[in-house]
Amino acid sequence: MKAAFISDIHGNAVALEEVLRDIEQKAVDKIFVLGDICYRGPEPKRALELIQSLQTEVIKGNADEWVVRGVQQGEVPDHLLDLMNKEREWTVSKLDHADMDYLEQLPTAIHYKHDDVRLTAFHAVPDNLFKVILPYADDEVLDTEIVKKANADIYVYAHIHKPYIRYANEKIIMNIGSVGLPFDGMRMASYGIVTIEQNRISTSIERVAYDTEKVISLYHSVNYPNMNMTNVIKNAKV
């Protein structure tokens, strides 16, 4: 079994298309989507349609929750609250009722087993869409916030836009980064692959180039309410 895990598209359909092309070339058996599909990018509707066309398991991320009910005080710095809700309102204006229902009803975890190897996937931590677990978190933090909250051998998550693979407490913990808004200084989309075969496991982080200038141009052509997002694309970090 060879599975690709993608997440944090953030309305960047250009990057998503390139990632899906790359996945197709690698002949994976399954694709799993770990959330944050539409919000903060210039093509929310097209990104959502591309994800839905995969007809696969998709879970909710914090940005999907924001699209559904808005960004609330305490979830982002106070000085960004109004702007991020303006971005949310713009995103919602590009979606229809069926899209909103789809996002609202998404589950929050994936549980998969192959060859007696158990895998669980979630957006941020198993019981919270917003909590941040960074690549350099102590093993004790990984154990408390991730390992003890789900029974698995492999844990796959996203949310922080910084991919990594670690081995702690006899478990594999993997962050797959972001398709649409990488924060690690590389202007390339990121996703993960897990292969399980006859109780052998391999994991990898894949990087895919895409036309960043086209995405920046799209932000301007659609009159996106936060032009600073173009700087995020240019610098691949915030």
Side-chain angles (χ1 to χ4, degrees), residues 9-63:
I9 297 98
H10 290 287
N12 187 343
V14 173
L16 177 58
E17 284 179 323
E18 293 300 327
V19 165
L20 293 178
R21 288 190 189 100
D22 193 70
I23 290 172
E24 185 176 8
Q25 292 173 2
K26 289 182 169 61
V28 305
D29 301 302
K30 300 180 71 69
I31 301 175
F32 296 107
V33 184
L34 306 191
D36 283 9
I37 301 166
C38 304
Y39 177 59
R40 308 213 83 184
E43 296 187 280
K45 179 75 171 181
R46 193 161 79 91
L48 180 59
E49 289 174 343
L50 283 168
I51 292 299
Q52 291 172 324
S53 73
L54 299 175
Q55 297 184 332
T56 191
E57 290 186 68
V58 182
I59 60 174
K60 183 185 290 187
N62 65 294

Side-chain angles (χ1 to χ4, degrees), residues 4 18 25 97 121 134 145-146 158 205 218:
E18 293 300 327
Q25 292 173 2
H97 289 299
L134 294 171
E145 297 294 344
I146 293 178
I205 301 296
L218 282 168

Side-chain angles (χ1 to χ4, degrees), residues 190-206:
S190 174
Y191 74 98
I193 288 181
V194 176
T195 303
I196 304 170
E197 186 175 0
Q198 296 179 345
N199 291 317
R200 296 175 62 187
I201 302 169
S202 66
T203 57
S204 65
I205 301 296
E206 309 293 324

